[in-house]
């Protein structure tokens, strides 16, 4: 929990009363959770506008954590989909964001069953990052990448990027991953056809054009990408600093009209969308997608886990282990 905005050090583990599920809620004994960039954005919001929702001076909700996987311990009287003993996972983005805990209570609609063969730590990597990755390769109108499309993934080694690389490859794309030099071998191991070291190469000025660009955490102007896109191509970003957000809101729509390309933020994101979760489960079952876990931290070391991700050290997902 934390009571103020700041770096990971403002977070502390506290003993509080176990939650009691309300009418439509389930109480879940957490076995695993995972760290996302969004958890860090909740610690020190990069978009000042987001404080209108999170809390202007201090966070309204002291809890942290989006991705959760565990076992149902008890249910409210109006719950119909789950019973005690069921294995479930979910994204708590819209349900209190308190996955870093021993127990969490949330509406039953926040959860889906975990496939029987999937371990808790693997399930905990999927709800937020993998769903974002899949939706980043599909527009609001359903258009997605095609066989042999060229795809550039900027931020290919972190929380979301490894999922994007693998999903794009499963769809037959030619994938180029952008990452720091010491992570390039990791990106290749995911199946990327080519890699770019952003510390040595300006990946927006390579002279190459791509059919689809997924920018996990934008660092360059939207207009800077125009020369990197083929006709009717897509540039979609999942986040960036506040100044970039203003461009996404006001400049990107005009650039899209002027160029005939689609450029902008992933506004059509649907958290933990069940059909997308089903697609991800099918890809894993077919060995076309594998959640990559870099490190596991116990709940008592949640600050270290957040710092590890915040410093950009992670290669794939970082998991918080809670129960065996």
């Amino acid at each position: 929990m934390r009571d103020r905005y700041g770096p990971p050090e403002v977070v502390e583990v506290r003993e509080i009363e176990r939650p009691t599920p309300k009418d439509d809620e389930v109480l879940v004994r957490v076995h695993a959770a995972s760290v996302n960039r969004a958890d860090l954005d909740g610690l020190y919001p990069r978009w000042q506008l987001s404080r209108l929702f999170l809390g202007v001076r201090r966070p309204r909700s002291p809890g942290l954590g989006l991705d959760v996987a565990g076992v149902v311990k008890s249910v409210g009287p109006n719950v119909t989909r789950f019973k005690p003993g069921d294995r479930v996972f979910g994204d708590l983005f819209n349900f209190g964001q308190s996955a870093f805990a021993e127990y969490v209570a949330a509406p039953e609609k926040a959860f889906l069953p975990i496939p029987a063969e999937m371990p808790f730590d693997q399930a905990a990597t999927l709800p937020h990052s993998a769903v974002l990755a899949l939706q980043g390769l599909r527009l609001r109108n359903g258009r997605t990448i095609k066989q042999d499309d060229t795809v550039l993934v900027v931020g290919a080694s972190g929380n979301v990027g490894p999922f994007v690389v693998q999903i794009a490859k499963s769809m037959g794309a030619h994938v180029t991953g952008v990452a720091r030099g010491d992570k390039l071998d990791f990106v290749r191991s995911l199946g990327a056809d080519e890699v770019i070291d952003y510390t040595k190469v300006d990946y927006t000025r390579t002279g190459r054009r791509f059919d689809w660009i997924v920018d996990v955490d934008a660092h360059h102007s939207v207009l800077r990408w125009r020369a990197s896109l083929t006709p009717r191509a897509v540039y979609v970003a999942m986040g960036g600093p506040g100044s970039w957000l203003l461009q996404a809101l006001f400049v990107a729509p005009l650039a899209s009209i002027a160029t005939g390309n689609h450029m902008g933020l992933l506004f059509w994101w649907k958290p933990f969308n069940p059909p997308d979760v089903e697609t991800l489960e099918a890809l894993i079952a077919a060995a076309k997608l594998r959640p990559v876990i870099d490190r596991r931290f116990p709940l008592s070391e949640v600050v270290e886990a957040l710092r590890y991700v915040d410093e950009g050290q992670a290669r794939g997902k970082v998991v918080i282990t809670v129960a065996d």
Side-chain angles (χ1 to χ4, degrees):
M1 308 181 80
R2 87 281 196 230
D3 300 314
R4 59 189 174 93
Y5 293 120
E9 286 71 25
V10 304
V11 177
E12 62 182 21
V13 178
R14 300 176 187 167
E15 289 285 346
I16 63 171
E17 187 176 348
R18 182 185 302 181
T20 300
K22 299 176 183 177
D23 289 350
D24 66 339
E25 291 184 338
V26 297
L27 178 68
V28 174
R29 174 69 164 107
V30 180
H31 283 246
S34 74
V35 180
N36 291 279
R37 174 72 245 182
D39 297 316
L40 297 166
D41 289 341
L43 279 179
Y44 45 89
R46 291 183 295 171
W47 301 348
Q48 293 302 311
L49 180 65
S50 65
R51 292 198 181 208
L52 295 176
F53 308 97
L54 300 175
V56 176
R57 298 182 61 186
R58 61 180 61 86
R60 291 193 184 97
S61 173
L64 278 173
L66 304 181
D67 291 334
V68 62
V71 174
V72 175
K73 297 298 290 184
S74 62
V75 302
N78 294 333
V79 170
T80 60
R81 294 174 49 231
F82 298 111
K83 63 183 185 304
D86 286 347
R87 303 167 75 247
V88 298
F89 65 143
D91 181 348
L92 302 184
F93 182 82
N94 291 322
F95 305 102
Q97 303 188 20
S98 54
F100 301 156
E102 292 179 326
Y103 291 89
V104 62
E108 63 175 335
K109 64 182 178 181
F111 301 100
L112 290 171
I114 298 175
E117 68 283 358
M118 187 178 292
F120 288 112
D121 58 354
Q122 188 179 93
T125 69
L126 300 175
H128 192 77
S129 294
V131 170
L132 267 175
L134 185 61
Q135 294 179 9
L137 294 169
R138 184 183 69 235
L139 295 183
R140 192 192 303 272
N141 62 8
R143 176 187 165 193
T144 187
I145 61 174
K146 307 183 302 296
Q147 179 79 28
D148 298 325
D149 271 358
T150 53
V151 175
L152 180 71
V153 183
V154 184
S157 62
N159 296 291
V160 178
F163 290 116
V164 181
V165 171
Q166 294 179 81
I167 294 169
K169 284 301 297 179
S170 76
M171 300 169 74
H174 182 95
V175 179
T176 300
V178 178
R180 198 173 63 209
D182 61 332
K183 296 184 177 182
L184 296 184
D185 285 342
F186 168 66
V187 176
R188 291 189 185 96
S189 74
L190 300 169
D193 299 285
E194 300 178 59
V195 293
I196 296 175
D197 181 352
Y198 70 76
T199 67
K200 297 180 179 180
V201 177
D202 183 345
Y203 49 85
T204 69
R205 294 289 187 267
T206 63
R208 297 179 55 193
R209 292 176 179 265
F210 298 90
D211 299 308
W212 204 288
I213 298 175
V214 176
D215 198 353
V216 174
D217 191 15
H219 291 86
H220 293 290
S221 162
V222 171
L223 297 179
R224 191 181 179 93
W225 286 103
R226 289 176 299 173
S228 298
L229 295 169
T230 61
R232 297 192 68 251
V234 173
Y235 166 82
V236 59
M238 297 177 181
S243 58
W244 185 92
L245 176 61
L246 294 176
Q247 291 188 35
L249 292 173
F250 301 109
V251 177
L254 297 177
S256 298
I257 294 171
T259 63
N261 296 320
H262 178 95
M263 306 180 72
L265 191 65
L266 183 64
F267 285 116
W268 55 95
W269 171 52
K270 295 182 180 180
F272 206 52
N273 188 37
D276 290 329
V277 176
E278 184 177 342
T279 296
L280 294 168
E281 291 173 354
L283 288 172
I284 292 173
K288 294 181 178 180
L289 178 66
R290 59 180 179 92
V292 180
I293 298 174
D294 180 356
R295 288 189 61 181
R296 296 168 176 82
F297 292 82
L299 181 60
S300 60
E301 297 179 9
V302 65
V303 173
E304 289 78 3
L306 289 164
R307 186 186 302 118
Y308 186 75
V309 174
D310 194 29
E311 293 174 349
Q313 298 186 60
R315 291 167 170 80
K317 295 292 293 184
V318 168
V319 168
I320 306 294
T321 57
V322 184
D324 295 332

